[in-house]
């Protein structure tokens, strides 16, 4: 019996003799099935050809990204606090070196994931570190491989510690989640996944229903995401991909970007 990984999105599926016919994450309109067709690999094969690279983004926050790029190519973020370490979002590769490094840093007290595109091998990360996985219940239908470590939460916020709160933003997915960290300097940090996505100039963010298929959210949905974030002060934003880092003015950037998006959807002024 084999655990199969989707090559397009990295999602893992329960043990089976044969690969699934289709990945439901990719067949959803927010992702895509490659023109070459659905393809699969295994955790063992992935570990034989790839490794994880580490980068410190700021004190207490490190990025983990698989090289060469695999599937969606998002990064996971390791948040280190006096209350324990939290893995934000997930990547498919969990190799021996990654386990050794995280164990040396104190292990994990929790895993939290922004939305189903980054569920990947969350079950294996949780088992390796005996850590619960926090997913918003609104996205439960997208869990492709069950695990006793999964903890579904509801409502609009979940406090993980005095410094860390999960905030439901919605938008991209009904349960789309962001992580608010008070930060070492107290100014606040937003780990955004791609519920809000940092643009190349790092001075705006954007909001989409589907990024690869370029399908927008409605003005009302964008306003709702911005409203849900408004009570949480943050100076810096770290997005799902390498170099998606806003170093200052993050809260104002989100508010301004949301209004710009809404204005464009509303059409030119008469």
């Amino acid at each position: 019996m084999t655990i199969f990984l989707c090559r397009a999105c990295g999602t893992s599926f329960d043990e089976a003799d044969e690969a699934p016919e289709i990945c439901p994450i990719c067949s959803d309109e927010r992702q895509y099935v490659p023109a070459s067709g659905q393809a699969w690999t295994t955790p063992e094969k992935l570990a034989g050809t790839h490794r994880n690279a580490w980068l410190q983004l700021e004190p207490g926050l490190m990025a983990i990204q698989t090289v060469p790029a695999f599937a969606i190519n998002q990064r996971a973020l390791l948040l280190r606090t006096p209350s324990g370490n939290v893995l934000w979002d997930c990547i498919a590769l969990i190799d021996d070196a990654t386990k050794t490094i995280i164990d040396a840093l104190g292990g994990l007290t929790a895993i939290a994931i922004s939305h189903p595109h980054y569920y990947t091998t969350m079950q294996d990360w949780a088992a390796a570190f005996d850590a619960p996985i926090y997913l918003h219940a609104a996205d439960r239908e997208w869990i492709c491989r069950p695990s006793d470590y999964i903890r579904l939460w509801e409502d609009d916020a979940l406090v993980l510690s005095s410094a860390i709160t999960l905030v439901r933003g919605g938008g991209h997915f009904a349960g789309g989640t962001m992580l608010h960290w008070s930060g070492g300097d107290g100014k606040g940090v937003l780990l955004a996944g791609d519920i809000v996505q940092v643009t190349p100039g790092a001075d705006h963010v954007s909001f989409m229903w589907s990024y690869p298929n370029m399908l927008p959210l409605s003005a009302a949905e964008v306003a709702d995401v911005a409203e849900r974030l408004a009570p949480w002060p943050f100076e810096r934003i770290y997005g799902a991909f390498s170099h998606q880092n806003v170093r200052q003015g993050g809260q104002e950037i989100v508010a301004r970007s949301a209004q710009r998006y809404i204005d464009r959807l509303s059409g030119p002024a008469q």
Side-chain angles (χ1 to χ4, degrees), residues 24-265:
I25 300 294
C26 289
S27 60
D28 176 68
E29 63 182 355
R30 283 162 286 199
Q31 181 54 14
Y32 65 95
V33 176
S36 57
Q38 200 79 69
W40 308 90
T41 188
T42 67
E44 295 76 18
K45 290 179 180 178
L46 181 63
T49 56
H50 291 67
R51 65 179 179 85
N52 287 336
W54 291 69
L55 176 68
Q56 179 161 298
L57 298 172
E58 63 174 78
L61 187 64
M62 304 179 77
I64 314 169
Q65 193 158 16
T66 300
V67 292
F70 175 71
I72 296 174
N73 195 34
Q74 77 275 10
R75 59 187 179 182
L77 301 178
L78 180 65
L79 177 56
R80 303 180 65 204
T81 78
S83 300
N85 299 334
V86 175
L87 183 74
W88 170 248
D89 278 335
C90 202
I91 53 178
L93 177 59
I94 174 171
D95 56 12
D96 289 340
T98 298
K99 293 176 187 177
T100 299
I101 292 169
I102 292 179
D103 280 337
L105 294 173
L108 297 177
T109 58
I111 297 168
I113 303 181
S114 60
H115 70 292
H117 290 160
Y118 304 154
Y119 287 176
T120 63
T121 58
M122 60 182 178
Q123 303 87 348
D124 300 320
W125 288 79
F129 301 106
D130 194 25
I133 308 165
Y134 293 98
L135 308 177
H136 199 279
D139 292 337
R140 71 173 77 223
E141 67 182 285
W142 301 105
I143 299 171
C144 295
R145 182 179 157 210
S147 170
D148 291 338
Y149 287 98
I150 294 173
R151 307 286 185 267
L152 297 176
W153 62 280
E154 299 181 343
D155 301 322
D156 292 330
L158 177 68
V159 176
L160 294 186
S161 73
S162 60
I164 301 172
T165 302
L166 302 181
V167 179
R168 180 190 181 192
H172 186 38
F173 274 81
T177 299
M178 291 166 279
L179 185 151
H180 182 268
W181 172 41
S182 59
D185 58 4
K187 293 183 179 180
V189 174
L190 185 71
L191 307 187
D194 55 10
I195 307 306
V196 300
Q197 183 151 182
V198 177
T199 60
D203 56 352
H204 289 88
V205 298
S206 193
F207 314 78
M208 294 288 280
W209 171 256
S210 169
Y211 291 97
N213 297 317
M214 295 178 284
L215 297 172
L217 291 170
S218 69
E221 289 170 317
V222 172
D224 185 57
V225 174
E227 183 178 345
R228 289 172 181 272
L229 274 180
W232 302 93
F234 53 92
E235 183 73 8
R236 300 179 296 285
I237 305 172
Y238 295 99
F241 300 99
S242 178
H243 307 301
Q244 287 191 337
N245 310 317
V246 170
R247 298 297 185 178
Q248 61 183 3
Q251 190 168 32
E252 189 275 333
I253 284 172
V254 169
R256 172 163 46 85
S257 297
Q259 189 57 56
R260 182 178 73 160
Y261 193 108
I262 291 167
D263 289 346
R264 291 302 305 165
L265 288 178

